[in-house]
Amino acid sequence: MSFKRVGVLTSGGDAPGMNAAIRAVVRTSLSANLEVMGIFRGFAGLLNEELKVFDHRSVSNIISRGGTILKTARCPEFLEEEAQKRAVDIIKKYGIDGLVLIGGNGTYRGGIALSKKWNVPCIGVPGTIDNDINGTDATIGADTAVNTALDAIDKIRDTVTSMERIFVVEVMGRDSGFIAMQVGLAGGAEDILIPERRQDITRICHDMVEGNLRGKISWIVVVAEGAGSAGDVARQITEITSLETRVAVLGHIQRGGSPTARDRNLATVLGSQAVDLLMKGETSKAVGIVSGKINVVDLEAAVSKKEVETDSFYQLVKKLT
Ligand code: F6P
């Protein structure tokens, strides 16, 4: 069978840079004389037959836009064989020979099912702000999210310093402390709570009380959502220290905005690579970049737990407070 038509979808939480990846998939396919279909609303849209033939102009002027023009959705139904079987029938009906799946863990799991159980060629492109995918140093959207959160933390620092307060700032990341660590270091946070490390809140409180005695009164504590809620942490701090606290939950603003150059270029390189892999007959693979080089791993390896070294990072943050 010769390879003629690529399908592309975005699934799970949107991430800045997904549009740049879609553009790269579409234009790389067209330049190789392949046809491309955009599949709207992820696996859910696939099951509803929300597909459209894309041409060169379908992806004009999207490289700088956050979100995803294909829309996205979470689709728990896709865990069921019945839904997967229906999806395979639709993929065949539209003559799609292979899929590029842009998203995070859930998206990749859908790709594993389609490729391993149903023989649909699938290549994963890592699109998530959480940076929790194996086989790549960075996922598309993580750099933008870190910079968005950093901008907010810099602003919070102005009021923290002026009013000499303790602020607890909650950032996203699901089970990953990546955003918290990056903004914590870049924003000069006094402490960071992340799911990868067990942290003793009483030790943080002790540092605060000691700091207060020395005249260090302003504190920013960054909490990754996977390590607890900012509200709970702030309450505990006040209970233990009797010091006043304020809370900021940055939430979904971290998912929006124009992607950084780093995210656009990562998305462009990986989107294009994904099409090349499909044309070479590869399947059930995820593309990434490790130490500046393209890296291709099995989708299963990509979703296995990502081990990150946090100790030296954390020690550095503490050394500088
Ligand atoms: O996976 C991306 C992410 O933004 C996580 O950081 C967060 O936990 C989750 O999605 C939020 O999902 P939703 O937008 O469905 O509330």
Side-chain angles (χ1 to χ4, degrees):
M1 176 197 82
S2 69
F3 199 96
K4 286 204 203 82
R5 184 175 271 191
V6 175
V8 57
L9 62 77
T10 50
S11 162
D14 49 89
M18 279 183 162
N19 280 327
I22 296 165
R23 174 179 175 271
V25 170
V26 170
R27 295 203 170 159
T28 303
S29 302
L30 294 175
S31 72
N33 293 318
L34 300 175
E35 293 169 352
V36 205
M37 292 203 89
I39 302 163
F40 291 83
R41 297 183 178 80
F43 294 115
L46 176 61
L47 292 171
N48 287 330
E49 297 191 44
E50 297 181 54
L51 299 94
K52 194 176 152 195
V53 173
F54 270 24
D55 63 19
H56 198 84
R57 305 256 315 264
S58 308
V59 291
S60 295
N61 303 320
I62 66 169
I63 196 165
S64 57
R65 282 166 55 190
T68 158
I69 59 158
L70 286 175
K71 318 272 185 197
T72 184
R74 302 196 192 279
C75 183
E77 186 193 350
F78 209 73
L79 293 171
E80 291 158 24
E81 288 219 343
E82 199 272 78
Q84 296 162 10
K85 168 83 182 64
R86 266 199 299 132
V88 175
D89 291 342
I90 293 164
I91 290 165
K92 282 196 188 131
K93 175 174 163 187
Y94 286 86
I96 291 171
D97 299 310
L99 289 175
V100 177
L101 307 171
I102 306 167
N105 278 296
T107 310
Y108 279 18
R109 287 189 200 286
I112 292 169
L114 282 177
S115 57
K116 290 274 157 84
K117 277 200 248 163
W118 304 95
N119 289 323
V120 176
C122 289
I123 303 292
V125 172
T128 166
I129 64 164
D130 300 338
N131 202 21
D132 58 352
I133 299 280
N134 262 310
T136 189
D137 289 340
T139 55
I140 297 160
D143 186 59
T144 308
V146 165
N147 281 293
T148 301
L150 183 60
D151 181 54
I153 286 178
D154 286 348
K155 288 179 172 131
I156 287 169
R157 185 169 288 288
D158 290 344
T159 173
V160 164
T161 315
S162 303
M163 296 200 70
E164 302 189 298
R165 272 178 168 157
I166 296 168
F167 236 94
V168 185
V169 183
E170 182 181 316
V171 297
M172 274 188 169
R174 204 179 289 275
D175 301 324
S176 154
F178 177 79
I179 296 176
M181 285 198 293
Q182 293 294 318
V183 291
L185 190 64
E190 276 71 22
D191 224 312
I192 305 176
L193 296 173
I194 51 172
E196 292 87 350
R197 284 177 68 90
R198 243 182 198 291
Q199 230 109 307
D200 182 4
I201 194 90
T202 53
R203 201 265 311 137
I204 295 176
C205 292
H206 176 262
D207 287 356
M208 279 174 182
V209 172
E210 272 219 320
N212 247 18
L213 294 173
R214 281 185 280 119
K216 173 166 180 44
I217 299 168
S218 319
W219 284 73
I220 293 182
V221 178
V222 178
V223 184
E225 62 177 355
S229 84
D232 286 349
V233 172
R235 244 186 316 279
Q236 287 180 60
I237 292 172
T238 301
E239 269 167 30
I240 298 169
T241 64
S242 302
L243 295 167
E244 214 184 322
T245 51
R246 291 288 186 276
V247 165
V249 179
L250 301 189
H252 286 77
I253 60 160
Q254 293 161 100
R255 288 238 297 263
S258 179
T260 59
R262 189 180 276 252
D263 275 332
R264 294 182 202 190
N265 291 342
L266 179 66
T268 300
V269 170
L270 296 185
S272 187
Q273 276 292 324
V275 175
D276 289 350
L277 287 171
L278 279 178
M279 284 192 297
K280 280 185 198 147
E282 291 281 4
T283 181
S284 213
K285 294 283 188 304
V287 275
I289 295 189
V290 172
S291 303
K293 292 209 173 75
I294 295 290
N295 191 47
V296 179
V297 296
D298 285 338
L299 279 174
E300 269 146 348
V303 296
S304 63
K305 191 168 164 37
K306 188 165 183 164
E307 295 301 333
V308 278
E309 202 279 311
T310 56
D311 278 359
S312 53
F313 208 94
Y314 185 75
Q315 300 312 336
L316 183 56
V317 168
K318 289 310 293 172
K319 195 192 290 182
L320 303 181
T321 52

